[in-house]
Amino acid sequence: MYPKRFEDLIHAFQLLPGVGEKTAQRYAYTVLDWNAEEREIFINAISHMKEDIHRCKICGNLSDGEICDICSDVNRNHHMICVVQSPKDIQSFESMQEYNGVYHVLNGTINIQKGILPDQLNIESLKNRIESENIEEIILATDPTVDGETTALYLEKIFKDHVKVTRLAYGIPMGSHLDYADSLTLLKAFENRK
Amino acid sequence: MYPKRFEDLIHAFQLLPGVGEKTAQRYAYTVLDWNAEEREIFINAISHMKEDIHRCKICGNLSDGEICDICSDVNRNHHMICVVQSPKDIQSFESMQEYNGVYHVLNGTINIQKGILPDQLNIESLKNRIESENIEEIILATDPTVDGETTALYLEKIFKDHVKVTRLAYGIPMGSHLDYADSLTLLKAFENRK
């Protein structure tokens, strides 16, 4: 019914998470009304993204250069590593303004059904960090979901003999996602870590 | 906090309607995980859109060529014009599978506050159609909102002496948008037009 190019655009938007046909149509109509400059901003943002956004070689966080701002900050406590699922979670921790250690991004969680095993996560480099750097504590801050818990238990098991392993306290409601937690809830969970 | 390119991407997504920071972040993370092919589909859809999607020279509908499929269909009743705000609304009418006339897309509604006056809408060409083609009826199918009503009243005033002017019956709840109406509600409104 729509012109082919417009259908293509609608389908392209449906590649985004949680975007159904109506929303995709709405986005497509918006794009249709954009001027050349707005389209340019959008296209550039997507096409230059991959080449310019790096993963920090130490922690796996998103970074402008090879090492992220947090790992290269000498004022931070490099003996304490907070282990998170995604760079998003780092943002949540940083907005809490209480944590001064560094991070390690797993890039996902163990999920047997989806075939995501520990060796597909960024765990090997965490092992190396614990062995080579003088790490005093790792804080497991995976989401309080089944997958997050599984991953935390796995990490606790392999690291507890080498380093102090703590977990965020259950202040965060089960089944939710960490990056949607408000700073206060996150602060409580951080203070009561066990 | 995020790398600059990633911030750019988040801001780009915020250009879309109803997309706040959290949603934009979610989209940006999805794009980050896309492979080259998926990004290519997305970029192509947006960059080729403008050059390949035309507006029908007769009715203003989105079209692959100069004249849209509906206007070039000889099996349709070209003496009856349904006047809509947007090409979206044509989709709703077509899915009703009852209307066999043609359309005219205004591309918006009169809105004094926003400075949208009748001469910025696709009304001049509607006038030309009514004068030159043998039009028997125009059906005003603008949204039942303040702006839609204003526009319908304006069109009724300038056309009622030249052609039969009808309006969709109030079966559609006030304040809603036409393209979200279900086919049955739209059918009722269509049958009871006055």
Side-chain angles (χ1 to χ4, degrees):
Chain A
M1 187 56 67
Y2 280 120
K4 196 192 158 295
R5 284 295 187 190
F6 198 73
E7 287 282 359
D8 288 349
L9 190 59
I10 292 172
H11 291 147
F13 276 120
Q14 286 183 279
L15 293 173
L16 295 172
V19 176
E21 207 182 327
K22 275 280 178 195
T23 307
Q25 276 182 23
R26 199 161 155 234
Y27 290 170
Y29 275 108
T30 305
V31 171
L32 199 64
D33 289 335
W34 279 352
N35 56 32
E37 199 195 340
E38 284 169 312
R39 263 181 307 144
E40 205 56 31
I41 291 172
F42 203 83
I43 291 168
N44 280 343
I46 291 170
S47 46
H48 293 307
M49 178 207 64
K50 210 73 173 189
E51 61 215 54
D52 289 328
I53 302 177
H54 300 89
R55 297 281 184 166
C56 171
K57 290 213 165 171
I58 298 174
C59 71
N61 188 13
L62 299 178
S63 170
D64 279 312
E66 292 214 328
I67 308 296
C68 75
D69 292 346
I70 294 171
C71 285
S72 53
D73 186 346
V74 291
N75 292 319
R76 297 190 76 117
N77 178 358
H78 289 257
H79 306 298
M80 187 182 249
I81 299 177
C82 178
V83 180
V84 293
Q85 292 178 200
S86 147
K88 275 192 274 214
D89 302 326
I90 294 184
Q91 304 299 318
S92 303
F93 266 89
E94 289 300 293
S95 64
M96 174 175 88
Q97 294 184 318
E98 177 79 20
Y99 180 67
N100 194 39
V102 291
Y103 297 94
H104 196 85
V105 179
L106 295 175
N107 264 326
T109 46
I110 297 167
N111 186 320
I112 310 295
Q113 269 122 346
K114 288 185 188 159
I116 304 172
L117 300 172
D119 58 356
Q120 282 152 279
L121 301 178
N122 194 18
I123 293 176
E124 198 57 37
S125 62
L126 177 59
K127 224 178 259 178
N128 292 341
R129 284 178 83 179
I130 290 169
E131 281 165 12
S132 61
E133 297 170 35
N134 185 20
I135 306 299
E136 288 163 0
E137 178 178 350
I138 65 169
I139 303 161
L140 302 178
T142 50
D143 280 344
T145 56
V146 174
D147 291 349
E149 287 296 293
T150 307
T151 311
L153 286 171
Y154 174 83
L155 293 176
E156 194 177 345
K157 199 180 145 207
I158 61 171
F159 290 131
K160 69 177 179 202
D161 296 334
H162 308 88
V163 68
K164 180 181 170 193
V165 178
T166 59
R167 305 237 327 243
L168 288 189
Y170 283 124
I172 305 156
M174 290 294 286
S176 70
H177 290 278
L178 216 151
D179 67 314
Y180 278 84
D182 60 277
S183 293
L184 190 65
T185 310
L186 200 56
L187 183 63
K188 284 284 163 235
F190 178 72
E191 281 172 347
N192 298 319
R193 69 185 185 272
K194 52 177 181 175
Chain B
M1 187 56 73
Y2 280 120
K4 195 192 158 297
R5 284 294 187 193
F6 197 73
E7 287 282 359
D8 288 349
L9 190 59
I10 293 172
H11 291 147
F13 276 119
Q14 287 183 280
L15 292 174
L16 296 171
V19 176
E21 207 182 326
K22 276 280 176 194
T23 307
Q25 276 182 22
R26 198 161 156 233
Y27 290 169
Y29 275 107
T30 305
V31 171
L32 199 65
D33 289 336
W34 279 352
N35 57 32
E37 199 194 339
E38 285 169 311
R39 261 181 309 141
E40 204 57 33
I41 291 173
F42 203 82
I43 290 169
N44 279 343
I46 291 171
S47 45
H48 293 307
M49 178 208 64
K50 210 73 175 190
E51 60 216 55
D52 289 327
I53 302 177
H54 301 89
R55 295 282 183 165
C56 172
K57 288 213 168 175
I58 298 174
C59 72
N61 188 14
L62 298 178
S63 171
D64 279 313
E66 291 213 329
I67 308 295
C68 75
D69 292 347
I70 294 172
C71 285
S72 53
D73 186 345
V74 292
N75 292 320
R76 296 190 76 117
N77 178 357
H78 288 259
H79 306 298
M80 189 183 247
I81 300 177
C82 179
V83 180
V84 293
Q85 293 179 198
S86 147
K88 275 191 275 210
D89 302 326
I90 295 184
Q91 305 299 316
S92 303
F93 266 88
E94 290 299 294
S95 65
M96 174 176 88
Q97 294 184 319
E98 177 77 19
Y99 178 68
N100 194 38
V102 290
Y103 295 93
H104 195 86
V105 179
L106 294 175
N107 264 327
T109 46
I110 297 168
N111 186 318
I112 310 293
Q113 268 123 346
K114 286 185 190 161
I116 304 171
L117 300 172
D119 58 355
Q120 283 153 277
L121 301 178
N122 194 18
I123 293 177
E124 199 56 35
S125 62
L126 178 58
K127 226 178 258 178
N128 292 340
R129 286 177 82 178
I130 291 170
E131 280 165 14
S132 60
E133 296 169 36
N134 185 18
I135 307 300
E136 288 162 2
E137 179 179 349
I138 64 168
I139 302 161
L140 302 178
T142 51
D143 279 344
T145 56
V146 173
D147 291 348
E149 288 296 294
T150 307
T151 310
L153 286 171
Y154 174 82
L155 294 176
E156 195 177 345
K157 199 179 144 207
I158 62 170
F159 291 131
K160 70 175 177 205
D161 296 334
H162 307 88
V163 67
K164 180 179 169 193
V165 179
T166 58
R167 305 236 329 240
L168 288 188
Y170 285 123
I172 305 157
M174 291 293 287
S176 69
H177 290 278
L178 217 150
D179 66 313
Y180 279 84
D182 61 277
S183 293
L184 189 65
T185 309
L186 200 56
L187 183 63
K188 284 285 163 234
F190 178 72
E191 281 172 348
N192 296 319
R193 68 186 185 273
K194 48 174 183 176

